[in-house]
Amino acid sequence: MNDLYSGLNVLRAIAAVAVGTTGTGQTGKIIDRKGYIGPVLFDISYGAITATNATLTVTVKEGDVTGTLTSVADADLINTEAAAGIAAGTPRTSNANKLVAKKIAYKGGKRYCQINIKSTVTAATPIAVNAIQQASSQPAS
């Protein structure tokens, strides 16, 4: 079947949760790219951000084995980590720097990738991240 629904795999990379303690943040699930083609799209949902001085930083990592993931080079990303994050600012505006969805994709050649999100302040900001992959083959029609 040649349709968008059947050809995609959606995984929860970071369950809906508060971003948490300063500098610690949330570590995403490691995504295995075996059996999938193209980039891994990370769909990031940000909730209401109450701290005007909070900066939410996104980092994407990659590796050939799960124990040694390293930061991804900019050339292996679609979008930038800065654009996928949230800069400090006031006022907080819906669809700009709160209550917004952003995306970044990993297009490098490593088998595993992961997304992490950290905050510069202890923040109750809710976040959730899904990883979306395209299957290398689709079910027969």
Side-chain angles (χ1 to χ4, degrees):
M1 188 178 308
N2 190 15
D3 65 84
L4 184 63
Y5 180 87
S6 299
L8 296 180
N9 182 40
V10 180
L11 299 169
R12 176 73 65 193
I14 299 176
V17 66
V19 73
T21 308
T22 303
T24 303
Q26 297 296 324
T27 300
K29 176 182 176 183
I30 295 173
I31 306 301
D32 187 348
R33 300 179 67 217
K34 185 175 181 178
Y36 296 93
I37 60 172
V40 175
L41 173 65
F42 291 103
D43 172 40
I44 308 164
S45 296
Y46 294 98
I49 300 170
T50 56
T52 57
N53 60 338
T55 299
L56 299 174
T57 306
V58 171
T59 305
V60 180
K61 295 186 173 188
E62 66 180 354
D64 290 319
V65 294
T66 60
T68 56
L69 299 179
T70 57
S71 290
V72 173
D74 291 343
D76 288 332
L77 295 172
I78 300 172
N79 199 3
T80 65
E81 291 167 321
I86 301 284
T90 185
R92 294 296 189 182
T93 308
S94 293
N95 298 318
N97 54 14
K98 76 171 187 178
L99 304 174
V100 65
K102 295 193 173 196
K103 61 187 175 183
I104 189 166
Y106 172 70
K107 64 178 182 176
K110 303 291 184 178
R111 178 169 174 180
Y112 300 98
C113 63
Q114 177 185 52
I115 189 168
N116 301 316
I117 301 178
K118 294 182 180 180
S119 178
T120 56
V121 299
T122 297
T125 302
I127 60 167
V129 181
N130 286 325
I132 304 167
Q133 300 172 287
Q134 182 180 356
S136 59
S137 63
Q138 296 184 9
S141 1

